[in-house]
Amino acid sequence: VWVDGSPWFSIREGLHMLQKKGHEVVVVAPEVSLHVKSSENFVMKMHPVPYTQEEMDSAFKAFFNTAFEDGSFFERFFKVVEATKRLTDFWFSSCSHLLQNKELIRYLEESKF
């Protein structure tokens, strides 16, 4: 489940609390992300995706910049819809590539993830 962006900050705190209670925490994340970074509080398992950090950063900037653009409500609305679709495409691609990663899926199955 995609949790990059602001949801990651809340989840990260929960992971830290689980680790403090003695749980082994494994985070599965795409190699390209906004905020998901390795930590001593959990094990990172990363998987490749077919987009670059620059492409993702550009999409997020475009999404946030649409709120400040000139134009009618409908022009801005449709720009936000397009920007949201582009971000959704990143998330879908990330999930799809995770499920196609046989080596990582095998690791998760063997470790009873």
Side-chain angles (χ1 to χ4, degrees), residues 5 11 15 19 27-29 39-40 55 57 64 76 82 88 91-92 96 99-102 104 107:
I11 290 171
L15 298 178
Q19 187 267 340
V27 172
V28 178
S39 168
E40 65 222 18
E55 290 170 322
D57 291 345
F64 288 112
R76 287 180 288 132
E82 283 300 313
T88 302
W91 299 330
F92 179 79
S96 175
L99 295 175
Q100 294 172 16
N101 188 322
K102 294 186 186 315
L104 182 53
Y107 165 81

Side-chain angles (χ1 to χ4, degrees), residues 31-103:
E31 289 177 338
V32 174
S33 70
L34 294 174
H35 302 291
V36 180
K37 306 291 183 242
S38 62
S39 168
E40 65 222 18
N41 298 324
F42 50 80
V43 174
M44 283 290 289
K45 292 293 182 180
M46 304 198 77
H47 62 92
V49 289
Y51 51 86
T52 66
Q53 187 71 51
E54 293 77 21
E55 290 170 322
M56 178 179 273
D57 291 345
S58 174
F60 269 92
K61 285 178 187 173
F63 176 77
F64 288 112
N65 287 339
T66 56
F68 303 105
E69 290 182 359
D70 292 333
S72 72
F73 168 78
F74 289 110
E75 289 172 328
R76 287 180 288 132
F77 174 79
F78 288 114
K79 286 182 181 180
V80 167
V81 168
E82 283 300 313
T84 301
K85 182 187 176 315
R86 188 163 179 220
L87 293 176
T88 302
D89 289 345
F90 283 116
W91 299 330
F92 179 79
S93 177
S94 175
C95 290
S96 175
H97 280 77
L98 165 62
L99 295 175
Q100 294 172 16
N101 188 322
K102 294 186 186 315
E103 182 180 329

